[in-house]
Amino acid sequence: MGFLFVLIVGLVAGTISGIVGTGSSIMLMPVLVYQYGPKQAVPIMAVAAVMANLSRILAWWREVDWRACAAYSVTGIPAAALGARTLLALPSRAVDIAIGMFLIAMVPVRHWLAQHRLKANLWHLMIGGALIGYLTGIVASTGPLSVPLFLFYGLSKGAFLATEAASSLGLYVSKSVTFERFGALTPDIALKGLIAGASLMAGAFIAKRFVLQLKPDAFRLIMDAIMLAAGVSLLWSAATS
């Protein structure tokens, strides 16, 4: 039943993230932590995230801005590997606390970013890639940070979804390779990640027909609720472990 619940949440999360550009890791991570524990959940989510981003690229292939993707990835990929190595040195309880606090903190940060209509160029994407890449290596999802960065660059609709996914794909591949190199990504964990990722991929293709139908205000409320609920659940898990 627990495994079936992971698949159901993965399908819902994949659909929502396929519409708004983020949210799959935020929704699925607490379920994976509950089912497998934080040390296994993070590499499982890394594999699943690779598949989720790949599905969004396939759905919007012609819309990818490869210059923006390259600028973000050139610094983000090595930073993600460094962050993943940092994560492996942390105790499981600290991982729960770090992810939970990060998700909760992202609610006011996202509102602050929304209030400041900033403009980003390729250099900003490179700087953002380094910072967000390192955080991506440590926590499950940094979508609340990467999403506004690509929006500030001027991308929208399918171009935004495809480019953000293509850029994030490199980070999660780097993170997964680091986990495998240091023994945290065993064949059993990789299989769990592939199965969870398959549900995210299915959701992403379901979502394509709904893109842009969700009103911006509704999107903001959904993301706030998801991040707060996920953050609180992970902090609760750390407090009771």
Side-chain angles (χ1 to χ4, degrees):
M1 288 299 295
F3 188 70
L4 180 62
F5 184 56
V6 169
L7 291 178
I8 293 173
V9 173
L11 183 62
V12 174
T15 302
I16 292 177
S17 67
I19 296 172
V20 301
T22 187
S24 60
S25 299
I26 295 170
M27 293 181 66
L28 189 56
M29 188 63 184
V31 178
L32 294 177
V33 170
Y34 177 79
Q35 187 71 16
Y36 304 115
K39 282 294 186 179
Q40 286 195 36
V42 175
I44 289 173
M45 190 65 247
V47 174
V50 168
M51 298 177 67
N53 284 296
L54 181 60
S55 65
R56 291 213 298 274
I57 297 171
L58 294 175
W60 299 96
W61 176 257
R62 298 179 184 275
E63 304 289 333
V64 178
D65 185 327
W66 293 110
R67 289 183 65 203
C69 177
Y72 184 84
S73 301
V74 71
T75 55
I77 288 175
L82 180 60
R85 185 67 187 96
T86 302
L87 171 68
L88 294 176
L90 298 174
S92 297
R93 189 165 180 268
V95 174
D96 270 348
I97 294 173
I99 297 174
M101 292 183 66
F102 179 83
L103 293 177
I104 293 173
M106 281 303 96
V107 174
V109 169
R110 191 188 62 75
H111 282 277
W112 183 88
L113 290 172
Q115 292 172 1
H116 295 74
R117 297 183 179 275
L118 307 176
K119 296 293 183 182
N121 56 35
L122 292 177
W123 286 106
H124 294 136
L125 290 179
M126 292 179 66
I127 296 171
L131 297 175
I132 297 172
Y134 182 74
L135 290 174
T136 299
I138 298 176
V139 302
S141 171
T142 50
L145 285 177
S146 62
V147 164
L149 179 63
F150 285 99
L151 291 176
F152 294 150
Y153 181 69
L155 301 175
S156 63
K157 301 182 182 180
F160 157 70
L161 292 171
T163 305
E164 196 278 336
S167 302
S168 297
L169 179 64
L171 272 60
Y172 282 107
V173 169
S174 174
K175 184 176 181 178
S176 299
V177 169
T178 302
F179 284 144
E180 192 279 330
R181 180 180 177 185
F182 289 96
L185 185 60
T186 63
D188 177 62
I189 290 176
L191 179 61
K192 293 174 181 176
L194 290 172
I195 295 173
S199 65
L200 294 178
M201 291 187 77
F205 282 100
I206 293 173
K208 186 174 181 179
R209 69 183 66 181
F210 300 109
V211 169
L212 303 178
Q213 292 185 8
L214 188 65
K215 295 181 179 179
D217 289 342
F219 161 65
R220 287 190 287 268
L221 289 175
I222 290 172
M223 288 308 302
D224 285 350
I226 290 173
M227 286 188 288
L228 285 173
V232 170
S233 68
L234 291 172
L235 291 177
W236 176 259
S237 175
T240 55
S241 63

